[in-house]
Amino acid sequence: MAALGKTKLDSQWLAASVLGTLVKNEKVPDPFYGLENEAIIDIADSGREYYTFWFFTTFQSKLDGNQHLDLNFRAINYSAEVYLNGHKTVLPKGMFRRHSLDVTDIVHSQGQNLLAVLVHPPDHPGSIPPQGGQGGDHEIGKDVATQYVEGWDWMAPIRDRNTGIWDEVSVYVTGKMHYHLMQPVKIIDPHLVSSFFDGYKRVYLHATTELVNRSAWVAECSLNIQVTTELEGSMCLVEHLQTQHVSIPAGSQIQYTFPQLFFYKPNLWWPNGMGKQSLYKVVITVDVKGIGESDSWTHLFGFRKIESSIDSATGGRLFKVNGQLIFIRGGNWILSDGLLRLSKKRYSTDIKFHADMNFNMLRCWAGGLAERPEFYYYCDLYGLLGRENSKCLVVLQSVQSY
């Protein structure tokens, strides 16, 4: 979102997304230089209104017939009201929630639209004890947000608790016009899982997705799944191409599971130092009868099986990848930048740095981010397992299921 933010720090409109942009525009000092962070007023002293931000932008939309347009926010910290062409929507609270709004009836289908978002800080931003400490006074723990922002022994407090639109915003169009009738079908959150037999010679890919038909008619659809692997350069081999007929009632949402796809001796994904990071490209598309393609989804997928057990001799936990014991060489990952100045280039550089150090796992600390898709993409690319840590749950993030 090429958004602009207005804050109580200044009457000027700035290209803004959380405190990092105020630093970039030299409206506040660089908190990571010397003791400059102490020159930035903390939300505990200023109050939450001081760090309440306005964001706005304009965008054009061209909708044919009855096409549908979704306005998507991948993450906002912490609560927000969205104003589109004067229409207000209150979003649920939470730093890591995704929001998708059907704004078809609100947008100007052949003109300019004004989008404004009022973002409020976490409900419990807490205060910083004079002596500092691990997570300040821990009040931020009452909210679904990053815990490090109240400070840690390795981190100065983030004064606005990273309030703002901190992840991408997008508009998404589904459906096509055909004789003034349109049956927009949307693909939602496909899930890929693999199962292995005969010493990894026989492998099955299981794919499930949700489909939404937002039209007033029954949508007769061809649901397609294609799996390809890259050979050399731009050449690809089509491993599977399957088409299924699906009928979706008007205004309904269904879940559909494809018949399992069989692979004989596929290229396996291996952790850094154990082999290649082989990835397959999975494409799912939905075509509406008489109209054409309504939506599509693409994802890179790796075949691997991860197992763990307790060693009876040592009492320690053992891990296997594709049947082979692996010696875990891990690092602790909190996030790429304390002010959430995130980018694909930064993810690629930081994660490759860990691979170059011969690591094969990153432990995602529970006080940091619930990481973004870009993080897992580059972990897949460079051969790093992702271990998500919390007080009660340890999960190995799998290539086939995130």
Side-chain angles (χ1 to χ4, degrees):
M1 179 181 185
L4 298 180
K6 185 178 182 181
T7 79
K8 294 203 173 198
L9 296 173
D10 197 294
S11 60
Q12 181 185 0
W13 289 90
L14 307 171
S17 61
V18 298
L19 188 60
T21 304
L22 297 177
V23 174
K24 181 180 179 180
N25 287 273
E26 300 181 349
K27 297 300 176 181
V28 296
D30 186 340
F32 300 140
Y33 182 82
L35 298 177
E36 294 285 21
N37 195 46
E38 295 183 4
I40 303 174
I41 188 170
D42 192 83
I43 193 171
D45 301 315
S46 67
R48 292 175 68 250
E49 287 189 4
Y50 187 86
Y51 283 115
T52 295
F53 293 86
W54 273 106
F55 295 77
F56 86 93
T57 190
T58 58
F59 65 94
Q60 300 284 332
S61 61
K62 293 183 179 180
L63 299 182
D64 294 327
N66 293 316
Q67 284 181 310
H68 279 252
L69 187 145
D70 292 321
L71 174 63
N72 299 318
F73 296 89
R74 206 161 73 174
I76 295 177
N77 187 28
Y78 184 71
S79 59
E81 296 109 55
V82 176
Y83 298 86
L84 178 59
N85 297 332
H87 295 261
K88 177 182 177 181
T89 302
V90 179
L91 300 181
K93 297 179 180 180
M95 182 175 180
F96 306 114
R97 296 191 67 146
R98 294 179 299 170
H99 309 280
S100 183
L101 307 177
D102 184 350
V103 296
T104 307
D105 296 332
I106 300 174
V107 294
H108 301 143
S109 60
Q110 299 296 328
Q112 182 169 273
N113 298 277
L114 174 62
L115 173 63
V117 184
L118 181 62
V119 181
H120 303 276
D123 293 342
H124 304 90
S127 59
I128 315 302
Q131 71 276 16
Q134 310 286 74
D137 62 3
H138 305 290
E139 281 292 298
I140 194 71
K142 296 178 180 179
D143 294 328
V144 183
T146 52
Q147 306 298 291
Y148 75 89
V149 290
E150 278 205 63
W152 225 264
D153 54 4
W154 46 265
M155 180 70 181
I158 306 299
R159 298 304 189 182
D160 75 337
R161 310 296 187 262
N162 276 334
T163 299
I165 301 175
W166 67 272
D167 207 345
E168 69 179 26
V169 181
S170 61
V171 291
Y172 193 79
V173 177
T174 54
K176 292 184 178 181
M177 184 182 71
H178 185 71
Y179 301 120
H180 304 291
L181 295 177
M182 198 277 302
Q183 297 174 314
V185 175
K186 184 178 180 181
I187 297 171
I188 298 180
D189 295 335
H191 185 223
L192 306 176
V193 179
S194 53
S195 56
F196 301 84
F197 303 91
D198 297 339
Y200 303 92
K201 291 180 182 178
R202 288 193 301 119
V203 181
Y204 294 90
L205 175 62
H206 313 269
T208 299
T209 186
E210 293 188 2
L211 301 166
V212 178
N213 175 18
R214 294 183 294 193
S215 74
W217 304 273
V218 175
E220 302 296 338
C221 304
S222 294
L223 188 60
N224 314 295
I225 184 169
Q226 177 177 285
V227 183
T228 61
T229 183
E230 186 175 296
L231 297 177
E232 291 184 9
S234 58
M235 295 181 62
C236 292
L237 173 66
V238 178
E239 296 274 359
H240 278 281
L241 178 58
Q242 185 184 104
T243 300
Q244 300 293 322
H245 176 262
V246 182
S247 181
I248 310 175
S252 66
Q253 180 170 329
I254 67 169
Q255 185 178 89
Y256 181 82
T257 299
F258 286 92
Q260 60 189 16
L261 302 179
F262 172 67
F263 294 78
Y264 182 68
K265 292 184 178 180
N267 297 320
L268 300 179
W269 183 98
W270 291 96
N272 184 34
M274 293 183 68
K276 290 183 64 177
Q277 289 75 55
S278 299
L279 295 170
Y280 290 76
K281 184 178 181 180
V282 180
V283 180
I284 297 175
T285 59
V286 58
D287 296 323
V288 178
K289 184 178 180 180
I291 296 175
E293 183 177 304
S294 182
D295 200 6
S296 64
W297 177 86
T298 303
H299 193 69
L300 291 178
F301 172 87
F303 287 108
R304 68 179 181 185
K305 183 178 181 180
I306 300 172
E307 303 169 279
S308 72
S309 60
I310 301 298
D311 189 304
S312 58
T314 66
R317 182 171 291 276
L318 299 176
F319 290 97
K320 287 184 179 181
V321 178
N322 302 331
Q324 302 296 314
L325 281 169
I326 177 175
F327 180 75
I328 298 297
R329 301 184 302 276
N332 190 40
W333 179 274
I334 296 159
L335 72 172
S336 182
D337 179 73
L339 296 181
L340 306 183
R341 294 169 293 190
L342 308 175
S343 66
K344 290 182 179 180
K345 181 178 180 181
R346 183 154 189 158
Y347 274 115
S348 176
T349 300
D350 290 351
I351 293 172
K352 186 177 186 299
F353 178 64
H354 288 77
D356 290 343
M357 291 191 291
N358 294 315
F359 285 8
N360 54 28
M361 178 182 283
L362 286 176
R363 174 244 196 190
C364 292
W365 181 58
L369 284 183
E371 267 299 351
R372 306 157 79 234
E374 290 82 357
F375 169 82
Y376 293 105
Y377 170 82
Y378 288 107
C379 282
D380 289 348
L381 209 60
Y382 296 124
L384 291 166
L385 299 165
R387 176 181 181 270
E388 187 164 327
N389 176 271
S390 71
K391 293 180 181 179
C392 302
L393 178 66
V394 176
V395 178
L396 278 175
Q397 296 288 351
S398 175
V399 174
Q400 60 255 38
S401 61
Y402 70 75

